[in-house]
Amino acid sequence: MRPQGRGEHDSLYFTYPHFDAPPPGLDRTSPVPVAIVGAGPVGMVAALELARHGQRSVLIEARDTFNDGSRAICLSRSSFQILDRIGALPPFLAKALPWTTGRSFFRGRQILEFTMPDSADERFRPMYNLQQQYIEQFLWQAIEAQPLIETRWQTRLTGIETGREGAVLHLTDPSGAYDLPARWVLAADGARSTVRQALGLRLKGENFEGRYVIADIRMPHDYPTIRRALFDPACRPGGTVLIHRQPDDIWRIDYQLAEGESAEEATREENVRAGVQGVLDEIGEAGAWDLEWWSVYSANTLALDEYRHGPVVFIGDSAHIVPIFGVRGLNNGLADAQNIGWKLALVLNGQAGEGLLDSYTPERRGATLDVFANASKSARFMTPPSFGTRLMRDAALSLALRFPWAGELANPRQMAPYTYAESPLTRPGDPGPGPAPGALIPDANLGDGFLSQRMGPGFTLVTLGPAPEVTHPLLTTLSLPALWGAPEGSAFLIRPDLHLAARWTSADAQVILSTLTAMLERP
């Protein structure tokens, strides 16, 4: 929503582009290898990951511009690694605000200051703040430079039919209705997924009682980029407030609605202004500010039972909805897009069998359930669902006023990337120092650059010491003198998404080659 007198995309700081519909003369009905429904961040990353491996796709988007409002604003270190892999990184590094620290307050007094793990071996910071408009703009810049990606704006999906050989999308744009055959479909069309509804699928899980107003304001301020959480503040008794700094003097303020407070009433402009002013008074900010945009949000943990249904694969919010607490919604979706992108590209390129795709649901749904386990704890702490849980929460916070150890209960549980330990692609490894099989590899400062910058486009075999002679079209070999404290002779087989597939304390060429061949489901 925007203040009275301003249009839907009349922003104080961002100029929204307008994208035309496909021209009437365009060949709209020729079959395509991959159709991606939804050109938000998740859909665009999927298209760029496919293109990185030489596969073309068509992005289908009903809108004629980017999403309005800041929406998802926190990008994790692992997401920046994804952006680097797909060639979209530079504008993100130039614009986003990195942060490592969070502070929590209870009734006006600080009870916790946490710092996320960081070191000189890491190329990127643990977290970055950037409004979703910029996220989409920067991804779009990468897509415009990529000839393998076609985007059809103002094109709406009205139905879909699936079969063993692919799917047919029923589409409509200003020129009329038509059918588009596609071998594969990636559903990246969000929480209200039209693809999911057309296939008769439903998300399952838990709805939380807590509702939040999300407001963007413009306000000059020199407060550092530190996430603040206010529990039971005077401005929202019994509620919770989150405050994030963003580029362009934009501040994101999320405040919880009181029990019985209707969303309709709470989102009236005068009430939003009063709610924001109350928060600013709470933190001692007396300067002038402008209201940019606002919305309302409810915390849910919902997911599909299966993320792949024949030729249709669900990614991002179409597959799962997670609470904002722990900032894993968008980051989880970008990991979905990368995961299915490289696997699907190898299948289409004939470099892997279709069985490779069977690893998508266990890996990414496993990651979703891990997010649920952590985010549900945070959601119950942030928005207690009952009087009893609120009483327990406030008792814990009261303890934190006297005992520092109790403040850790207010830690939002920023999560490490999920480890694919149970994935069919993960091979048990020899014990020893270094990442466990299935884990996202930690970066390392090699002196002349970082390990992540030396990874090949496909799989990478990192050996400590002389490398065995292993020849495979998808494999890059990298020999290093030392890494992760592992003994000389160790070898690490790293996937295109930088997760560790297998590790050995002694590298054997035939074992390495047979492991890779088995993972790719190829004889």
Side-chain angles (χ1 to χ4, degrees), residues 83 200 253 458:
L83 297 171
I253 298 175

Side-chain angles (χ1 to χ4, degrees), residues 46 49 68 72 85 89 165 174 186 228 248 259 282 366 370 409 454 457 459 475 483 494 511 522:
E49 179 68 16
D68 65 321
R85 298 287 280 173
L89 180 65
E165 300 303 316
L186 299 183
R228 285 177 282 183
D248 299 332
E259 186 176 354
E282 179 84 19
D370 183 63
L409 296 169
R454 304 273 291 274
F459 288 80
L475 188 64
L483 184 68
I494 301 166
V511 171
R522 297 290 291 173

Side-chain angles (χ1 to χ4, degrees), residues 193-272:
S193 171
T194 303
V195 177
R196 191 178 64 232
Q197 294 173 19
L199 294 180
L201 303 172
R202 296 185 62 185
L203 300 173
K204 300 177 183 178
E206 185 176 4
N207 297 305
F208 293 91
E209 294 297 325
R211 296 163 301 149
Y212 284 75
V213 165
I214 300 171
D216 288 346
I217 67 170
R218 190 167 199 179
M219 178 183 68
H221 201 305
D222 59 0
Y223 196 86
T225 308
I226 292 175
R227 193 279 292 153
R228 285 177 282 183
L230 316 180
F231 295 99
D232 196 15
C235 63
R236 308 294 299 182
T240 305
V241 176
L242 300 173
I243 306 170
H244 278 278
R245 181 186 180 189
Q246 302 179 85
D248 299 332
D249 284 332
I250 299 297
W251 290 80
R252 164 76 167 267
I253 298 175
D254 302 7
Y255 60 85
Q256 187 179 358
L257 301 188
E259 186 176 354
E261 189 176 3
S262 75
E264 180 181 5
E265 188 67 21
T267 52
R268 295 184 187 277
E269 182 178 340
E270 62 270 23
N271 293 333
V272 172

Side-chain angles (χ1 to χ4, degrees), residues 52-372:
R52 185 170 81 89
H53 297 280
Q55 270 300 324
R56 65 187 184 95
S57 63
V58 174
L59 274 168
I60 307 297
E61 177 52 60
R63 297 168 299 138
D64 62 4
T65 191
F66 305 138
N67 277 295
D68 65 321
S70 66
R71 298 183 184 270
I73 65 167
C74 294
L75 289 166
S76 65
R77 172 182 287 143
S78 56
S79 290
F80 262 60
Q81 290 174 332
I82 292 173
L83 297 171
D84 185 34
R85 298 287 280 173
I86 61 176
L89 180 65
F92 285 91
L93 276 179
K95 189 73 174 180
L97 301 179
W99 59 280
T100 61
T101 303
R103 292 172 180 164
S104 297
F105 300 81
F106 178 54
R107 295 175 182 169
R109 292 174 59 186
Q110 183 171 318
I111 58 171
L112 171 70
E113 178 168 311
F114 68 86
T115 301
M116 291 178 283
D118 199 16
S119 76
D121 271 325
E122 297 290 354
R123 186 179 174 203
F124 304 117
R125 305 288 62 78
M127 203 68 66
Y128 293 82
N129 282 356
L130 185 68
Q131 298 94 312
Q132 186 164 326
Q133 306 100 307
Y134 284 121
I135 295 171
E136 296 187 19
Q137 180 186 49
F138 298 157
L139 289 171
W140 175 247
Q141 290 170 3
I143 283 176
E144 282 189 301
Q146 178 49 258
L148 292 173
I149 304 172
E150 175 192 347
T151 307
R152 301 185 188 180
W153 296 93
Q154 301 186 43
T155 300
R156 187 174 301 276
L157 178 78
T158 59
I160 186 171
E161 298 174 25
T162 63
R164 294 184 61 184
E165 300 303 316
V168 176
L169 286 71
H170 305 308
L171 304 172
T172 183
D173 65 19
S175 296
Y178 64 98
D179 291 344
L180 176 66
R183 176 63 189 90
W184 297 96
V185 177
L186 299 183
D189 51 345
R192 297 180 177 87
S193 171
T194 303
V195 177
R196 191 178 64 232
Q197 294 173 19
L199 294 180
L201 303 172
R202 296 185 62 185
L203 300 173
K204 300 177 183 178
E206 185 176 4
N207 297 305
F208 293 91
E209 294 297 325
R211 296 163 301 149
Y212 284 75
V213 165
I214 300 171
D216 288 346
I217 67 170
R218 190 167 199 179
M219 178 183 68
H221 201 305
D222 59 0
Y223 196 86
T225 308
I226 292 175
R227 193 279 292 153
R228 285 177 282 183
L230 316 180
F231 295 99
D232 196 15
C235 63
R236 308 294 299 182
T240 305
V241 176
L242 300 173
I243 306 170
H244 278 278
R245 181 186 180 189
Q246 302 179 85
D248 299 332
D249 284 332
I250 299 297
W251 290 80
R252 164 76 167 267
I253 298 175
D254 302 7
Y255 60 85
Q256 187 179 358
L257 301 188
E259 186 176 354
E261 189 176 3
S262 75
E264 180 181 5
E265 188 67 21
T267 52
R268 295 184 187 277
E269 182 178 340
E270 62 270 23
N271 293 333
V272 172
R273 288 185 180 275
V276 168
Q277 188 61 58
V279 173
L280 296 179
D281 292 342
E282 179 84 19
I283 62 176
E285 175 54 53
W289 57 276
D290 291 321
L291 183 58
E292 158 71 3
W293 171 89
W294 70 91
S295 185
V296 68
Y297 166 86
S298 296
N300 301 305
T301 52
L302 303 169
L304 289 172
D305 289 333
E306 292 287 336
Y307 287 3
R308 177 186 167 197
H309 292 262
V312 179
V313 182
F314 291 88
I315 58 179
D317 284 354
S318 71
H320 48 73
I321 300 174
V322 304
I324 59 173
F325 317 118
V327 295
R328 297 302 297 178
L330 176 59
N331 295 298
N332 207 36
L334 299 187
D336 291 349
Q338 182 191 43
N339 189 293
I340 193 59
W342 70 262
K343 293 173 182 176
L344 190 54
L346 297 191
V347 171
L348 288 167
N349 290 339
Q351 296 170 308
E354 195 171 311
L356 177 64
L357 305 181
D358 294 339
S359 63
Y360 174 70
T361 289
E363 288 187 353
R364 294 312 305 157
R365 192 170 190 276
T368 300
L369 296 180
D370 183 63
V371 170
F372 284 1

